[in-house]
Amino acid sequence: MSSTAPYLTAALYKFVALPDFAELQAPLQACCESNDVKGTLLLAHEGINGTIAGPEAGIRAVLAFLHADPRLATLQHKESWSPKPPFTRMKVRLKKEIVTLRVPELDPNKTVGQYVKPQDWNALLADPDVVVIDTRNDYEVAIGTFKGAINPNIKTFVQLPAWLDAQENLQGEAAKKTKVAMFCTGGIRCEKSTALMKMRGFDEVYHLEGGILKYLEEIPPEQSTWEGDCFVFDERVSVSHGLGVGHHELCRSCRWPLSAEDKLSPHYVLGVSCEHCHDQRTPEQKAQMAERQRQVELAEARGETHVGAKMPGHEHTHQHPQEKSE
């Protein structure tokens, strides 16, 4: 552990039948709170998903608590470090799905695409016969993706099936011989998107094991085909190669990831608006956000953390807290 990065972040998910998931909520919340761990964990009949952060000992304790359940004994997670607390609250939520796609007949526990390890991903992408699809949302793709990947320009993961329906090159029996490779932040959305492709009859469907985060962790920059930063659903906003903190910060109004260049826009007002949302807020909303920003700055001056109400905007709700989502 680095003295400059004392907060350990653990991103995790597992598709597994949890018929008693509602009964797990209270003890899991209590375990996190007693260990000073914050973040979001989602529980559903189909499994668990989320991202948590806190002192290393606290994170290890929560992971041990989860692993003690035989169904979660093989639960894996990805780690990274942060100099500041990535989250301000702890929430264990009950959901219909741990990543929402709204295809009820889909079961990633039964059918899923073929995993491709990060070390083999570049070779797959170099195959001209492979259709590579970025399954993430538009604001995520905007700051980084793999070279040559198709951007569906979706605002939420639930829009992916409709986008696939509209792709002529993916329709009909002949198209089902097409090789399809999919990727997302941590892997969870691809569990469902590749299961969807298999359910639709595609033979060769691949997805990046461990997602973009695992790729950035294991593949050296000089060998990488990744371009830009990777959006993450916590206060780091984005990460780069080696999972170092990236070069973006969130617009506190619409939660779009902003680069240094974006902040040069005349429509950018710290805590109030940016190029993407300046014309979508009423004067009253802008005044409310300006007051919240003032309270944040006052709290920071006192060395405190301001936890305020969520502002209006497109909610990055879990396509994973890790991929909030995913």
Side-chain angles (χ1 to χ4, degrees), residues 225-245:
T225 58
W226 176 262
E227 298 178 333
D229 284 349
C230 176
F231 184 92
V232 290
F233 293 86
D234 58 53
E235 288 300 312
R236 294 172 299 170
V237 184
S238 67
V239 296
S240 55
H241 284 91
L243 300 186
V245 177

Side-chain angles (χ1 to χ4, degrees), residues 281-294:
R281 301 287 179 260
T282 66
E284 292 78 13
Q285 287 176 324
K286 289 183 178 180
Q288 179 187 3
M289 288 180 279
E291 174 58 23
R292 181 185 186 278
Q293 180 60 31
R294 190 178 76 86

Side-chain angles (χ1 to χ4, degrees), residues 4-68:
T4 59
Y7 295 95
L8 177 59
T9 297
L12 57 91
Y13 76 87
K14 184 175 178 65
F15 284 100
V16 60
L18 297 176
D20 59 340
F21 70 96
E23 299 169 21
L24 304 176
Q25 182 183 30
L28 182 52
Q29 178 83 30
C31 178
C32 291
E33 290 179 352
S34 65
N35 285 284
D36 198 25
V37 167
K38 296 179 174 64
T40 303
L41 290 172
L42 305 183
L43 294 171
H45 192 286
E46 65 182 11
I48 185 172
N49 173 29
T51 305
I52 52 177
E56 181 177 10
I59 294 295
R60 303 292 179 212
V62 173
L63 292 173
F65 176 85
L66 292 170
H67 290 151

Side-chain angles (χ1 to χ4, degrees), residues 235-238 247-252 255-260 263 268 270:
E235 288 300 312
R236 294 172 299 170
V237 184
S238 67
H247 308 91
H248 296 79
E249 63 180 71
L250 288 183
C251 169
R252 295 298 168 179
R255 300 188 66 77
W256 193 280
L258 304 175
S259 66
K263 290 189 289 182
Y268 173 70
L270 179 63

Side-chain angles (χ1 to χ4, degrees), residues 279-317:
D279 57 350
Q280 300 171 14
R281 301 287 179 260
T282 66
E284 292 78 13
Q285 287 176 324
K286 289 183 178 180
Q288 179 187 3
M289 288 180 279
E291 174 58 23
R292 181 185 186 278
Q293 180 60 31
R294 190 178 76 86
Q295 294 296 330
V296 167
E297 292 173 2
L298 287 172
E300 288 178 349
R302 295 192 299 265
E304 300 171 357
T305 299
H306 179 268
V307 181
K310 290 182 179 178
M311 291 293 104
H314 62 256
E315 287 290 334
H316 292 184
T317 52

Side-chain angles (χ1 to χ4, degrees), residues 12-25 28 40-51 66 69 71-76 92-100 106-110 188 191-192 318 320-322 326:
L12 57 91
Y13 76 87
K14 184 175 178 65
F15 284 100
V16 60
L18 297 176
D20 59 340
F21 70 96
E23 299 169 21
L24 304 176
Q25 182 183 30
L28 182 52
T40 303
L41 290 172
L42 305 183
L43 294 171
H45 192 286
E46 65 182 11
I48 185 172
N49 173 29
T51 305
L66 292 170
D69 186 322
R71 298 167 297 182
L72 301 176
T74 58
L75 174 69
Q76 298 181 355
V92 180
R93 302 184 184 277
L94 302 181
K95 293 284 187 177
K96 291 183 179 179
E97 301 177 70
I98 57 173
V99 57
T100 304
L106 196 66
D107 187 355
N109 284 311
K110 294 180 180 178
I188 187 171
E191 298 274 1
K192 283 200 168 179
H318 206 46
H320 148 57
Q322 151 195 347
E326 214 165 56

Side-chain angles (χ1 to χ4, degrees), residues 111-164:
T111 306
V112 73
Q114 182 175 330
Y115 295 105
V116 179
K117 294 195 175 296
Q119 294 80 5
D120 302 321
W121 184 247
N122 288 355
L124 181 66
L125 265 58
D127 185 338
D129 295 327
V130 175
V131 175
V132 184
I133 301 172
D134 191 331
T135 66
R136 299 172 305 147
N137 302 335
D138 53 4
Y139 55 87
E140 299 173 79
V141 182
I143 68 170
T145 190
F146 283 106
K147 185 177 182 179
I150 296 171
N151 176 12
N153 281 302
I154 55 177
K155 294 190 179 300
T156 64
F157 189 49
V158 296
Q159 295 175 351
L160 185 65
W163 179 83
L164 290 169

Side-chain angles (χ1 to χ4, degrees), residues 203-216:
D203 294 327
E204 290 192 66
V205 185
Y206 305 91
H207 64 118
L208 177 57
E209 186 172 5
I212 301 162
L213 295 178
K214 196 67 175 174
Y215 182 93
L216 294 179

